[in-house]
Structure formats: structure tokens, C-alpha cells
Amino acid sequence: MAEILKHAVPRAEVTASLDQVRATVSDVIADVRERGDAAVREYSEKFDDWSPESFRLSEAEVAAIVAAVPAQVIEDIRFVQEQVRAFARRQLDSLGEFEVETLPGVRLGQKHLPVRAAGAYVPGGRYPLTASAHMTIVTAKVAGVPRVVACTPPIRGEIPAATVAAMHLAGADEIWLLGGVQAVAAMAVGTDTMRPVNLIAGPGNAYVAEAKRQLFGEIGIDLFAGPTEILVLADEHADPFVCAVDLLSQAEHGPDSPAVLITTSRAVAERTVAEVERLLPGLPTRDFAGPAWRDHGQVHVVDSIDELYALADEFAFEHVEVLTAEPRLALERMTQYGALFLGEGTCVSFGDKVIGTNHVLPTLGAARYTGGLWVGKYLRTVTYQEVTDTGSQALLGRLCGRASRVELFEGHARSGDVRAARAAGDALPWNTA
């Protein structure tokens, strides 16, 4: 039976704070829908103190910004993007197109078609999140999306040069220095200067996530996302110092980022808490990580490995780091997670920044029904059908007539009747002409 050594704040407090977010987002979307570019500019001035002549960067501006980025940064961006690209290509290769003859002259097929335009939202209010450019834009381009619109906000009134470089090198067709709900709304509904997209992908703060949620249906989205989550699973062999460092690595994303430890060892639990408290004061991002740990950090002690994995599946977190003697056992025992990081040599930060798998992952329990962003999110799996054999046309026509009349769909039935009549001379008693 689990013992909770550290609790998070009650869920009711979190839910109450979202009500204002929903109302604000709804108002901004409605305004952008009505006033277009004028509303976008107004909100950019209000929220980001940013109102350039054009929010979209020209090719010359992009080239100048990229040229000013240090060579080592460019080299690292290229390396990481190649890891993401290679993994996305393997995902694409795993998707098959086929055509099969199910009956004589009956051919059924499947194709994968990319969306025509995708929006990539790359956060930047707190940090220049270049990695999100890799995950959203590179993956879309591997999928074959012909037009990728990339948006990122300025950071304290400055152009995030490394992020712009990452967007450009990833293959973005349009780069806009625009953030927040106004960026998501502009990409979704379109303005005089921005043509709308079909799907928006990428992480963001609570306002960005809510904007995607409200616009879903009008456009596609990658997934519903909330604050970054980390779940560390540890047995008695785990190093509490490593547990603490890795918990804080994700807590620094924001003050609402849950960081949870489940362990079979009370000693590991207590020492991890002590290490977190020791390390926090010296962490440059403690202003975010501190409140996150205080309000959303949890520590659970369980009696066995079986109980550890069962409880982990209930959390259904996006990042699950397995620091146990047999970490690959998690592949057999767990079914609800965004991504697994197996063993002490594999940290969540590798997935966030450099290893090649996608870091846009399901949060807030969404791992119960979806995985994270991947090349398939940008593809529409479509089907086609062709019946050329008259015997099959007659067979299916008669079957369609009977099946449709069971459901009282006479129009459907008659469509089937006509095929049977054309193929085999069946009578059409309902046709009095």
C-alpha cells in the first residue's frame, strides 16, 4: 500500500485558476476572428511589447539573424535536427500504403497524405526553446507538409536568434515573430497577412494550450497539452542525487510543472527530498522550479515493484524515468505514458533536447488515449475503392440493398440496386419511368 510523503496542492485550486484562462483565450480568439491583423498587433503590443512593421521575417532578415548565431550553436542545431529527422523517417517508413483485391475486381487501397499547411508553435516567453522547432518543423517536413508556418514570441523585446536559426534550418516556409494566443488564433483562422493552416503543433503555456483546445475541430492539433510532467520510478538501487537532479530538470519548465517520485525505498524517498531542498537554492531557475516542487511535487513510497508500476500507470505522465535495477521491465509492465527513459544513463532532458525522439508529449492524463507528436500526426490516412467486375458489382449491389433497407435507408438501397441492375439485369421495381 502506497505511503505519500509529499502531497501536491488540491486539484480544485488548479481547476479554479483555469477558468480565467479559458475566458481570456475565448475573448482573444473572437477578437482575432473579427478584426484580424489589427487585433493580433494589439495583443502582441499588450502581452509582448512587440509591434514591428511586419511580424513575418523576410528571407534577408532570416539570413542576417542566422549569420549572427555562433558557429557551435548552428553545428549543434544541425546535429540534433538530424537525429530528429532520422527517427521521423523511420516512423514514416513504418507506415504502409497498400492496395488489395478483396473480391474479383474489388480493389481497396490506403494512402497517407500530408496536410497542406501546418503551424508550428515554438514557445519562447521564458526561454529560447530551439528544441521545439526541431520537433514540430522537422517532423512536419519529413511527413511531406508543403507549407509550414512557424511562430515564436520575442523574448523580453529581443529576437530569439537561435530559435529563428533552428526554424530556418528545420525547413520552415514562413517565420513569424509572434507568440501567445494571438499567434495560435492567427494561424488557425487566418488574417489579411497570414493564410490559415490545417493543423497546429507545439507546446506552450496554459493560454496557448487552451487556445489549441478551443480551436480544435476548426483545425487539427497535435494533442491537448498542459504543464510538463516528470515521473521518476526508483528502487533501492537508485541514486537519490540523480533522482533529485532529474526531478528539478523538469520542474524548471514552470511553476505548475508536476515532478513526482515513486519508489520502493523509503530511504531513497527521504534522501531525494533532502537533495531537492539542498539543490534548489543554487538552481538559477529556482523561481520556477521552487514553486513547482512546493505545489506540485509528490513523493510516494510503495511496497513492491509491481505496485510501483501499477501506480505509475495511474499517473499516465508524459515523461517516465525508470531508475531501477531492471529498467526495461517497464516496457512490459507499463501501458500509459508519453515516453519512457530507461536507466540512469538516459535522462528526460535527452528526450527534450538531443536524442531524436519527439518531446511534444501528452500531459494531464492524455497518455491514456494518445501518444505524442510524430510524423503520422501530419498525415491523413485516406482510402479508395474500385469495383470493376460485374459479378462483384451485382453481389455488392444486392447486399447493399438488403442491408440499407434493414436500416430504412431507401436511398442507399436504390444506389445499390442500380449497380445490380447494370451488372446483372436485376429489376428496379421502384423505378416507374
Side-chain angles (χ1 to χ4, degrees), residues 10 47 57 67 101 121 125 141 151 159 169 255 287 305 320 322 360 397 405 409 419:
F47 297 127
L57 295 177
E101 189 171 14
Y121 187 82
K141 282 301 181 182
C151 287
I159 295 174
L169 295 172
D287 288 350
I305 284 290
V320 180
V322 187
V360 182
R405 289 186 172 98
F409 273 78
R419 270 63 191 181

Side-chain angles (χ1 to χ4, degrees), residues 1-2 231 233 262-264 300 302-317 320 329-330 332-337 368:
M1 184 174 179
L231 177 61
L233 308 181
I262 304 175
T263 178
T264 56
H300 298 254
V302 296
D303 294 330
S304 67
I305 284 290
D306 289 341
E307 190 175 351
L308 177 142
Y309 285 126
L311 182 57
D313 254 354
E314 291 182 23
F315 274 91
F317 265 21
V320 180
L329 188 61
E332 303 174 15
R333 300 292 184 87
M334 291 191 65
T335 60
Q336 298 189 147
Y337 55 86
R368 294 182 175 91

Side-chain angles (χ1 to χ4, degrees), residues 354-371:
V354 298
I355 208 167
T357 49
N358 208 293
H359 78 193
V360 182
L361 298 166
T363 63
L364 300 175
R368 294 182 175 91
Y369 61 83
T370 186

Side-chain angles (χ1 to χ4, degrees), residues 59-113:
E59 291 184 10
E61 289 172 322
V62 171
I65 292 168
V66 174
V69 176
Q72 184 64 61
V73 174
I74 295 295
E75 182 180 339
D76 290 345
I77 288 173
R78 290 187 186 277
F79 177 86
V80 174
Q81 288 187 351
E82 187 50 41
Q83 310 315 301
V84 176
R85 188 174 293 109
F87 192 74
R89 283 174 176 159
R90 291 299 299 269
Q91 290 180 324
L92 185 63
D93 290 343
S94 74
L95 295 170
E97 295 188 352
F98 64 85
E99 182 175 286
V100 60
E101 189 171 14
T102 58
L103 293 168
V106 178
R107 283 176 286 276
L108 310 181
Q110 172 177 293
K111 291 175 63 65
H112 302 293
L113 303 177

Side-chain angles (χ1 to χ4, degrees), residues 119-156:
Y121 187 82
V122 181
R126 295 170 179 154
Y127 313 114
L129 293 179
T130 59
S132 289
H134 318 329
M135 305 302 174
T136 53
I137 302 167
V138 169
T139 309
K141 282 301 181 182
V142 170
V145 178
R147 174 175 169 250
V148 176
V149 178
C151 287
T152 195
I155 299 180
R156 292 177 291 278

Side-chain angles (χ1 to χ4, degrees), residues 393 397 412-424 426-428 430:
Q393 289 170 358
H412 285 64
R414 292 182 179 188
S415 186
D417 293 346
V418 168
R419 270 63 191 181
R422 295 290 175 87
D426 288 22
L428 297 176
W430 47 266

Side-chain angles (χ1 to χ4, degrees), residues 195-252:
R195 288 181 292 134
V197 300
N198 307 121
L199 179 148
I200 294 177
N205 62 19
Y207 291 90
V208 168
E210 177 62 18
K212 289 167 62 182
R213 189 190 70 81
Q214 291 190 22
L215 289 161
F216 176 58
E218 183 171 352
I219 57 159
I221 64 171
D222 47 357
L223 45 83
F224 296 114
T228 291
E229 304 163 340
I230 182 172
L231 177 61
V232 174
L233 308 181
D235 61 12
E236 69 275 14
H237 304 290
D239 184 339
F241 173 73
V242 173
C243 293
V245 168
D246 291 350
L247 288 166
L248 291 176
S249 75
Q250 296 300 300
E252 74 176 356

Side-chain angles (χ1 to χ4, degrees), residues 265-320:
S265 167
R266 186 181 182 90
V268 168
E270 292 175 344
R271 289 171 58 199
T272 297
V273 171
E275 287 289 345
V276 169
E277 299 301 332
R278 181 180 71 83
L279 292 168
L280 251 176
L283 186 66
T285 52
R286 61 185 174 274
D287 288 350
F288 296 141
W293 175 250
R294 180 193 67 217
D295 297 336
H296 303 284
Q298 298 181 48
V299 178
H300 298 254
V301 180
V302 296
D303 294 330
S304 67
I305 284 290
D306 289 341
E307 190 175 351
L308 177 142
Y309 285 126
L311 182 57
D313 254 354
E314 291 182 23
F315 274 91
F317 265 21
E318 61 165 336
H319 301 118
V320 180

